[in-house]
Each structure stands twice: as C-alpha cells, then as structure tokens.
Amino acid sequence: MEEILKLSDYDTLFLDRDGVINVHRPNDYVKSWAEFKFMPGILDIFPLFAQRFKKIIVVTNQRGVGKGIMLESTLIEIHEKMIVEINKIGGRIDKIYYCIDVDDCSPYRKPNPGMGLQAKIDFPEIDFSRSLMVGDSDTDMQFGANLGMKSILV
C-alpha cells in the first residue's frame, strides 16, 4: 500500500542540487553559470516550498572542485546566482552546504551525515524526524536515512 505524504508533518526541506534543482550533466560537472540549467518546473514550486517549510537547505556533493576541474569560487558564484533566480520568483534557500572532498569516506560527503549535522548546528531548531530529503540518487536516500529523515527519490 502506498504511503501518503502529509507535508504538514514536516518543517525542513533538504534538497540535493544536481538532478533536483538543476539538470544533471552525466559524466560531467556544472562548471559555470552558463552550464547551469534549472530543472523544468522547479522554479514554479520554489514559492510553494517557501510558504510551506520553515527551512530550505541544499546539500550537494561537488567533487569537481576537489578534482581541480573547477574553482570553489566558481561554485560559490553559481550558488549565488541560483539563489538570486529563486528569490526573484518568491522562493528561497536558507543555506547551501557543499562537499568538495574526493574521498567517499569524508564525513561531509553524502551519504555520510556531515552536511546535515552542520545544518543542525547552524539551525538548532531542525528536527530530522520532521525533515524531508529530496534527491535523485541512492546516495541522497541513504543520507536522509542516516539522519532519520523521510526521503523522496525524484
């Protein structure tokens, strides 16, 4: 039997970036703002997210920086421009956490819980049992499970 998701049960929305907010580039990285393309329809739902959730957090692995394929300053610029576009349409992102580590054992690299734990330090009101993780990979689903969140695969 399919479970019915009641959004009123959740206060915090955790989102993966690549494949959820922007179009995933298979076997490549988003290395510039010119390569960043919003997923179809995502900008339409950000205002609804902003109304519904107390906190909206992005958690994203960005190994391309650690590999030297792009600069961290470029990643930050991409995120700043993404936030501007989301804010323009009445949406919001409260904070973006990213991991540039190349080692899968890094405590901050999803599926490990480091970025979520850092969000909890920065926003003590976050209750993982009242949080949703939306992602496009098994790694995202495991990240949510590792923190006791409900996870949704898109």
Side-chain angles (χ1 to χ4, degrees), residues 17-19 22-37 62 64-65 69-71 74-75 78-79:
R17 193 193 83 178
D18 300 325
N22 64 282
V23 175
H24 179 74
R25 296 173 56 92
N27 304 312
D28 198 4
Y29 301 94
V30 174
K31 300 175 296 298
S32 68
W33 179 245
E35 293 180 346
F36 185 98
K37 304 292 181 224
Q62 294 296 321
V65 175
I69 294 170
M70 64 185 291
L71 298 174
T74 303
L75 176 66
I78 291 167
H79 287 166

Side-chain angles (χ1 to χ4, degrees), residues 16 35 37 46-48 53 60 66 70 75 77 93 96 103 109 125 132 134:
D16 178 43
E35 293 180 346
K37 304 292 181 224
F46 258 99
L48 302 173
F53 294 100
T60 179
M70 64 185 291
L75 176 66
E77 176 186 331
I93 292 175
I96 299 173
D103 185 352
R109 187 165 177 76
E125 67 274 20
L132 288 175
V134 177

Side-chain angles (χ1 to χ4, degrees), residues 92-106:
R92 74 167 199 287
I93 292 175
D94 294 295
K95 188 136 185 191
I96 299 173
Y97 296 90
Y98 59 88
C99 179
I100 63 172
D101 300 338
V102 294
D103 185 352
D104 287 337
C105 294
S106 166

Side-chain angles (χ1 to χ4, degrees), residues 1-150:
M1 186 152 128
E2 197 171 306
E3 179 183 354
I4 296 174
L5 182 68
K6 288 177 32 185
L7 288 183
S8 59
D9 290 341
Y10 302 95
D11 295 326
T12 302
L13 178 63
F14 284 83
L15 297 169
D16 178 43
R17 193 193 83 178
D18 300 325
V20 175
I21 298 175
N22 64 282
V23 175
H24 179 74
R25 296 173 56 92
N27 304 312
D28 198 4
Y29 301 94
V30 174
K31 300 175 296 298
S32 68
W33 179 245
E35 293 180 346
F36 185 98
K37 304 292 181 224
F38 283 102
M39 290 289 287
I42 192 69
L43 288 175
D44 295 332
I45 60 175
F46 258 99
L48 302 173
F49 289 161
Q51 290 173 6
R52 174 60 207 95
F53 294 100
K54 293 178 182 174
K55 293 287 178 231
I56 301 171
I57 308 291
V58 173
V59 286
T60 179
N61 289 338
Q62 294 296 321
R63 186 179 272 169
V65 175
K67 288 182 173 181
I69 294 170
M70 64 185 291
L71 298 174
E72 188 171 8
S73 60
T74 303
L75 176 66
I76 292 168
E77 176 186 331
I78 291 167
H79 287 166
E80 288 172 348
K81 289 180 177 185
M82 178 183 78
I83 288 171
V84 165
E85 293 304 310
I86 290 169
N87 287 346
K88 277 184 192 176
I89 50 85
R92 74 167 199 287
I93 292 175
D94 294 295
K95 188 136 185 191
I96 299 173
Y97 296 90
Y98 59 88
C99 179
I100 63 172
D101 300 338
V102 294
D103 185 352
D104 287 337
C105 294
S106 166
Y108 293 97
R109 187 165 177 76
K110 291 183 293 178
N112 299 320
M115 287 188 279
L117 296 174
Q118 185 60 54
K120 175 76 171 157
I121 291 168
D122 294 343
F123 303 102
E125 67 274 20
I126 290 175
D127 176 351
F128 292 125
S129 70
R130 292 186 51 80
S131 297
L132 288 175
M133 173 64 203
V134 177
D136 70 330
S137 71
D138 291 339
T139 303
D140 296 323
M141 299 303 96
Q142 188 60 50
F143 170 81
N146 287 342
L147 290 163
M149 290 188 234
K150 170 76 175 167

